[in-house]
Amino acid sequence: MIRCEDILSLEFLKKTEYTGSHGGMRYRLEKVSAGEEPKLKAIIWPEPFAYGATPDEQKQSQEFSFSEEGIQAAVDWMNSLLPQSR
């Protein structure tokens, strides 16, 4: 299970993306511009390959508010898609 404590701060995410893996799934969190409000984009894909080496059709993504609550929502979403929870 991915935990919020595993994810680096919003200050880190303002500067660069954060990547990790858990239970056969890789993930990436990044700040994206969506109009006037920045968003937190979570992207997941199956292991073993890195983001750039994985075809786009194998990736799933969802956008959340760029806030602590958005990080929690992204973590909840990623956990719901972990292979073990299916």
Side-chain angles (χ1 to χ4, degrees), residues 11-81:
E11 290 301 314
F12 179 87
L13 291 169
K14 284 180 182 178
K15 298 175 184 167
T16 190
E17 71 277 345
Y18 176 81
T19 59
S21 64
H22 185 80
M25 179 181 80
R26 293 191 184 261
Y27 59 89
R28 175 179 170 140
L29 296 170
E30 61 186 22
K31 178 184 171 188
V32 294
S33 297
E36 296 179 23
E37 292 290 321
K39 296 286 185 180
L40 177 66
K41 185 174 186 179
I43 307 159
I44 63 162
W45 65 96
E47 288 185 330
F49 300 114
Y51 179 81
T54 301
D56 287 341
E57 57 271 6
Q58 291 184 13
K59 298 173 187 169
Q60 292 179 290
S61 66
Q62 183 81 24
E63 290 185 1
F64 303 91
S65 67
F66 194 77
S67 65
E68 294 297 331
E69 294 81 15
I71 291 176
Q72 181 62 61
V75 167
D76 291 343
W77 176 74
M78 292 186 295
N79 281 327
S80 75
L81 297 172

